[in-house]
Amino acid sequence: MMKKRIFCLLLAMAAMLAGLSLAACQKQSEPAAVNGPENTDEATADTNLPAAPEITICTPVATGICIVGGISSANCDAIEVSGDGIETTKIIPDYLPESSYFIGQIALSETCEISVKELYEDGASSAASTATATYTQMENKMTADEYMPVFVENSRMHFYSALLSYTLSDVVTPSIQERAEKNIAANKQTLQEVNPDAELIYLVVPSSAAVYPESLPEAYKTPAENSVFSAFKEIAEQEGATVIYPLDSFIEHKNDGFGYKIYHNTDSHWSTYGAYWGIAALMEHVAEKHPAAAPRSVSDMGFYTETLWGGDALFSFGDNGGFENYSKTGSAGKPERTKISELTTLYSLKMPTDTLSSVYRGGKSIYVNGTNSSAATIKNQAASDLPTAVICRDSFGCTAYDMVNDRFSTVYWQNSHSYKLDKETLRKANPDYVIYIVSERNLLKVMLENANISICNYAK
């Protein structure tokens, strides 16, 4: 099928350029021909239809919206969801080495029976699976609108806050600007009092919507002319801070190969592959003063792909119908888990690992639920020629944790989502750098040093 050939061609090209393994492409063989009938008349006979897709999620998340997802065959071209009382929807699946998964949202007007079937390029279709979709309101387990998942093209998800950070203009009011100026200026002044040569850096992780704009629904396709990021960048640089925004690098590498995504489809965080390119942009800047801190090469990282259970987009729905938080293994009375999984990128660390504290390997699920999110001091004993850093971060720091630790001699990590710089830590550390690693969707929280601020408040 054309999609699979393109995936493998992209991976082969990336392998030649960056030394990536072809293992993922080798696993993805050309799909077998559909065994179903070739003409419409024969396709009506149930005995000749290919097997129906497996529905593992059918969950209402808001009034009139239901998330439908499951497992389909590797040669499926699209999933069609239909039924009385709903808007017929086609979902493009995402591919795994041996099969595919699909996940998308449908609009419905009433409680109804939905029909889900596979569509193929030759016009054939599979037998249908059915499930009950209910017109109701379900509690969002993530408790806030900013974490509401919005499923779009190609079974891709964006959190609502990521869509807003991409599309909302003029959110930064004069009062927010004044507060941000004072906070950044205070951080800069305190840092210079400790070390006049130290630098304040903000590594802003671009919104998933900015990286994958082609996936967005019509309502979110137009980027903001005066976004939160553009206002923040102007303020921060005016106060003498450095802003790193690796969007160009992310776009350049987002199609490097089958499974090598910058952002996951089922999780709101960057993948380890995305984290690598983000931290590489940071360390390229640091290496201008400290050459030994230059980023590791792609071949040093030993990237590979692995199929893991889906991420926090599924966790948002709670345990009703599916996603199990695998980090809580061993607890009694586990709920039935979803079978939706995703091909993601991990790394085997061909670099020396004796000074690294806890390599992020993804566990059984993609979801990062607080791993490496507490305050910590990490010393890299074999790298005394490297600089020191104090790091403030949100949850995007978790995946990048060991990549950062490897490139500094000592790293003082503040608690995740603690956006106010701890001055006692600063004085104790006497760092060469204070670095914020934060997602674009959380910039208002950084500007106001308040984790409870949400960009969603400005969209109502």
Side-chain angles (χ1 to χ4, degrees):
M1 183 174 282
M2 183 62 67
K3 290 187 177 69
K4 288 26 164 235
R5 294 193 190 103
I6 292 173
F7 278 137
C8 288
L9 179 60
L10 289 171
L11 180 57
M13 293 172 62
M16 289 186 289
L17 294 173
L20 298 176
S21 170
L22 289 176
C25 191
Q26 291 168 347
K27 291 180 181 178
Q28 183 68 11
S29 58
E30 184 71 9
V34 178
N35 294 323
E38 295 184 358
N39 62 69
T40 306
D41 292 334
E42 288 182 30
T44 59
D46 291 345
T47 55
N48 292 327
L49 292 177
E54 181 178 359
I55 304 173
T56 61
I57 287 180
C58 181
T59 304
V61 294
T63 300
I65 298 176
C66 182
I67 301 299
V68 177
I71 307 300
S72 61
S73 59
N75 56 350
C76 172
D77 188 55
I79 297 291
E80 182 180 85
V81 183
S82 59
D84 293 336
I86 75 168
E87 183 179 307
T88 300
T89 302
K90 286 187 178 179
I91 302 171
I92 306 302
D94 193 29
Y95 298 100
L96 299 172
E98 304 298 336
S99 63
S100 301
Y101 73 89
F102 62 93
I103 186 165
Q105 61 189 50
I106 62 171
L108 64 158
S109 60
E110 58 187 23
T111 296
C112 58
E113 194 81 357
I114 66 170
S115 173
V116 180
K117 61 182 180 181
E118 297 181 3
L119 305 179
Y120 308 101
E121 284 185 334
D122 62 1
S125 61
S126 74
S129 294
T130 60
T132 301
T134 303
Y135 179 70
T136 186
Q137 176 77 37
M138 179 182 176
E139 178 187 0
N140 174 15
K141 299 297 182 180
M142 298 292 274
T143 72
D145 287 345
E146 62 182 311
Y147 302 120
M148 178 65 75
V150 178
F151 285 91
V152 291
E153 297 293 332
N154 299 325
S155 295
R156 175 167 291 282
M157 181 278 303
H158 301 281
F159 270 1
Y160 184 45
S161 52
L163 296 177
L164 295 182
S165 71
Y166 180 70
T167 58
L168 284 187
S169 296
D170 302 319
V171 173
V172 179
T173 63
S175 61
I176 292 177
Q177 178 174 336
E178 182 180 359
R179 178 76 176 273
E181 289 171 350
K182 288 182 178 178
N183 288 337
I184 296 173
N187 289 339
K188 179 73 174 178
Q189 180 179 350
T190 303
L191 177 58
Q192 289 186 327
E193 289 173 356
V194 172
N195 182 354
D197 297 323
E199 186 175 3
L200 175 61
I201 300 176
Y202 292 89
L203 171 60
V204 180
V205 183
S207 166
S208 58
V211 180
Y212 296 96
E214 68 279 0
S215 72
L216 300 178
E218 286 299 325
Y220 300 102
K221 281 190 179 296
T222 304
E225 293 184 3
N226 185 21
S227 66
V228 174
F229 170 72
S230 61
F232 169 80
K233 183 176 186 294
E234 183 177 347
I235 294 169
E237 292 181 342
Q238 171 186 299
E239 299 300 331
T242 298
V243 178
I244 298 174
Y245 185 68
L247 178 59
D248 289 344
S249 178
F250 282 10
I251 292 174
E252 177 185 354
H253 294 286
K254 72 178 185 178
N255 294 316
D256 274 357
F258 184 52
Y260 289 82
K261 305 167 186 172
I262 299 298
Y263 269 90
H264 296 110
N265 282 21
T266 62
D267 192 273
S268 66
H269 300 91
W270 56 5
S271 67
T272 54
Y273 195 63
Y276 168 79
W277 291 110
I279 299 305
L282 169 67
M283 301 319 302
E284 285 171 0
H285 175 79
V286 172
E288 293 175 5
K289 294 181 181 178
H290 302 272
R296 299 279 186 173
S297 68
V298 171
S299 59
D300 281 340
M301 299 299 295
F303 284 112
Y304 64 97
T305 58
E306 186 170 314
T307 302
L308 300 177
W309 300 112
D312 60 2
L314 306 182
F315 181 62
S316 300
F317 307 146
D319 293 331
N320 181 20
F323 180 70
E324 178 180 356
N325 183 350
Y326 270 97
S327 62
K328 296 181 180 177
T329 53
S331 59
K334 292 182 181 177
E336 181 181 352
R337 68 190 180 212
T338 180
K339 294 180 181 178
I340 287 182
S341 50
E342 182 177 350
L343 189 65
T344 189
T345 314
L346 302 176
Y347 57 98
S348 57
L349 286 173
K350 294 181 180 179
M351 66 187 77
T353 60
D354 58 324
T355 59
L356 302 179
S357 62
S358 54
V359 176
Y360 176 77
R361 298 191 184 280
K364 293 183 178 180
S365 70
I366 290 172
Y367 179 47
V368 180
N369 74 323
T371 304
N372 301 328
S373 63
S374 300
T377 300
I378 306 298
K379 293 186 178 295
N380 190 344
Q381 302 294 344
S384 59
D385 58 333
L386 295 175
T388 61
V390 170
I391 308 283
C392 298
R393 41 50 189 276
D394 56 19
S395 55
F396 281 68
C398 296
T399 307
Y401 193 74
D402 290 294
M403 299 181 194
V404 173
N405 294 337
D406 175 61
R407 300 287 75 204
F408 290 93
S409 61
T410 305
V411 182
Y412 299 83
W413 293 88
Q414 289 196 183
N415 286 321
S416 183
H417 299 289
S418 177
Y419 299 113
K420 187 176 179 61
L421 185 62
D422 184 84
K423 293 181 172 55
E424 289 303 315
T425 298
L426 193 61
R427 295 186 179 97
K428 174 184 176 182
N430 187 24
D432 298 297
Y433 297 93
V434 167
I435 301 169
Y436 281 74
I437 302 176
V438 294
S439 171
E440 183 175 355
R441 71 180 195 231
N442 285 329
L443 272 181
L444 279 180
K445 303 176 190 290
V446 175
M447 295 170 77
L448 300 177
E449 296 186 346
N450 185 343
N452 296 319
I453 296 295
S454 170
I455 193 173
C456 300
N457 297 333
Y458 298 87
K460 297 178 180 179

